[in-house]
Amino acid sequence: MTSYVFLHSVYRALGVESGSAKLREAGTGGSVRQMRISRTDLADYAYFLALAKHRSFRRAGLELGVSASALSHSLKGLEARIGVRLLNRTSRSVTLTAAGDELHGALTAPFDAIGAAVEGLNRYRDEPAGRIRLNVMEQASSLLLGPVLPVFIDRYPGIAVDVTISNHLVDVVAQGADAGIRWGGTVPEDMVAQRLSSDIRWVVVGATGYLDRHGTPTHPRELIEHQCLRIRLGDDSLYRWEFEKDGEEIAIEVPGAVSLDETQFALSLAAAGTGLAYLPEPSVAALLAEGRLRLVLKDWAPLGAGFHIYYPGRRQLPTGLRLLIDLIRELRPLGL
């Protein structure tokens, strides 16, 4: 199907005919007035869709590469031309009006179709081009993307990669991302997911100085007598350290003066002797090799779900995202 057909579907959804056309709109007292709109108005509708998705002028502007003031000016002009308020705006929130919600529903599928058509043109290029936006947890950025992206950018210089790092459990689509990367057990059920790594072992580590002063635990329950670097999860709850040995599974609510959600910070504190840390084994490999950290409770170390990439199934997979997934599976920085 050609881009012209996709554009025509958008025009039809808007009530637009060839060139400029008429938009039927309910007026006061049940009257109907007709308003002519041109194809140049489509940019304003694209801006409106971004605002409807993000419910934020700042975030929508970041996605589109325009200022929040430019979006505000565009929306005011659109609302003035069609004579209908589309968004309710306060200092704290942006919400759709009933008219805005109806227009959003009518425009989403046609604009998605145009995006898919443009993305499909990549197969005619000598080199793929475009932009992919990823929302990934911090450990995935260093362990998975860190080894892969230099190769990816060298191989596909026409593809820009925009990475947002967040350990919070967010709706990646609402955040403007094409896909997210999280541990397998945390992927939303309504998303399509692909595994990017093998399962990963989680280990307890401590500095030699700390272990010499406080002793080395031989059973997970002995951790209650130690200073531990507690893990804050994406929903702001504290993680209970999990262990497994010979079919026995234990989850310990460890004590500790420090709670955090960032691996490099945990590594630096553990290496300084602040307390014991519970981390993915690949994250601690370098400091273990240097002798700055030692493994604790090695026989109790459990396997956790590996990294998965996830994205909405209703959309065509962007070429750049498909190529990135293929390269991760080719290089296998964490096995597969």
Side-chain angles (χ1 to χ4, degrees):
M1 189 179 293
T2 66
S3 297
Y4 172 81
V5 175
F6 289 132
L7 285 168
H8 181 69
S9 68
V10 176
Y11 302 151
R12 185 170 52 193
L14 298 176
V16 182
E17 300 166 1
S18 299
S20 60
K22 298 178 180 180
L23 176 65
R24 295 173 57 83
E25 178 187 306
T28 58
S31 63
V32 175
R33 69 188 181 96
Q34 294 185 339
M35 183 175 183
R36 301 185 70 82
I37 66 174
S38 70
R39 298 186 182 192
T40 57
D41 292 324
L42 289 179
D44 289 338
Y45 286 103
Y47 288 175
F48 163 72
L49 286 177
L51 288 167
K53 177 173 70 173
H54 292 287
R55 310 298 170 96
S56 164
F57 282 81
R58 183 186 64 83
R59 290 199 298 268
L62 288 174
E63 177 184 332
L64 297 168
V66 300
S67 67
S69 61
L71 285 178
S72 179
H73 179 76
S74 168
L75 181 69
K76 288 178 181 177
L78 178 60
E79 289 177 330
R81 291 195 301 278
I82 65 177
V84 173
R85 177 175 288 277
L86 300 174
L87 296 179
N88 292 315
R89 289 155 285 181
T90 69
S91 59
R92 294 186 176 181
S93 67
V94 176
T95 59
L96 290 172
T97 66
D101 187 59
E102 183 174 337
L103 182 62
H104 176 257
L107 293 180
T108 299
F111 271 82
D112 283 349
I114 292 175
V118 173
E119 176 63 31
L121 297 178
N122 259 319
R123 67 182 185 273
Y124 297 108
R125 302 179 191 273
D126 293 333
E127 293 185 354
R131 177 183 297 274
I132 53 176
R133 297 176 175 89
L134 303 173
N135 187 297
V136 308
M137 62 184 308
E138 176 256 335
Q139 289 156 337
S141 68
S142 57
L143 297 177
L144 197 66
L145 293 184
V148 171
L149 281 186
V151 181
F152 183 82
I153 297 303
D154 182 64
R155 186 177 296 185
Y156 307 110
I159 299 176
V161 184
D162 187 344
V163 181
T164 297
I165 298 173
S166 173
N167 290 330
H168 288 279
L169 302 176
V170 299
D171 182 339
V172 296
V173 177
Q175 295 296 315
D178 297 302
I181 301 179
R182 295 290 187 277
W183 298 116
T186 63
V187 172
E189 293 183 357
D190 60 343
M191 295 283 176
V192 174
Q194 292 191 49
R195 176 182 284 271
L196 296 181
S197 80
S198 60
D199 290 341
I200 294 177
R201 192 172 303 278
W202 287 74
V203 297
V204 178
V205 294
T208 298
Y210 174 90
L211 297 173
D212 288 344
R213 290 193 307 274
H214 301 283
T216 301
T218 59
H219 191 280
R221 293 192 181 91
E222 295 177 15
L223 291 171
I224 61 173
E225 303 171 1
H226 286 264
Q227 280 290 326
C228 300
L229 303 174
R230 301 195 298 174
I231 302 170
R232 188 169 59 251
L233 297 175
D235 59 3
D236 288 330
S237 65
L238 290 174
Y239 176 67
R240 300 176 70 191
W241 292 12
E242 297 177 272
F243 300 93
E244 181 181 354
K245 180 182 179 182
D246 299 332
E248 181 182 3
E249 298 180 359
I250 303 175
I252 304 293
E253 186 174 342
V254 297
V258 178
S259 300
L260 43 76
D261 68 349
E262 206 276 327
T263 301
Q264 292 305 314
F265 187 33
L267 285 171
S268 64
L269 291 178
T274 307
L276 301 177
Y278 182 89
L279 294 165
E281 192 169 29
S283 296
V284 304
L287 291 183
L288 289 175
E290 295 171 7
R292 298 179 60 193
L293 291 175
R294 283 166 36 192
L295 282 178
V296 177
L297 300 171
K298 181 179 180 180
D299 293 342
W300 286 90
L303 276 176
F307 289 116
H308 287 63
I309 191 166
Y310 62 99
Y311 46 86
R314 66 181 181 275
R315 298 181 182 176
Q316 177 178 330
L317 196 64
T319 298
L321 184 58
R322 175 179 54 79
L323 293 172
L324 179 62
I325 293 172
D326 290 345
L327 184 59
I328 293 174
R329 289 174 167 269
E330 175 188 333
L331 298 181
R332 299 192 299 173
L334 294 173
L336 193 59

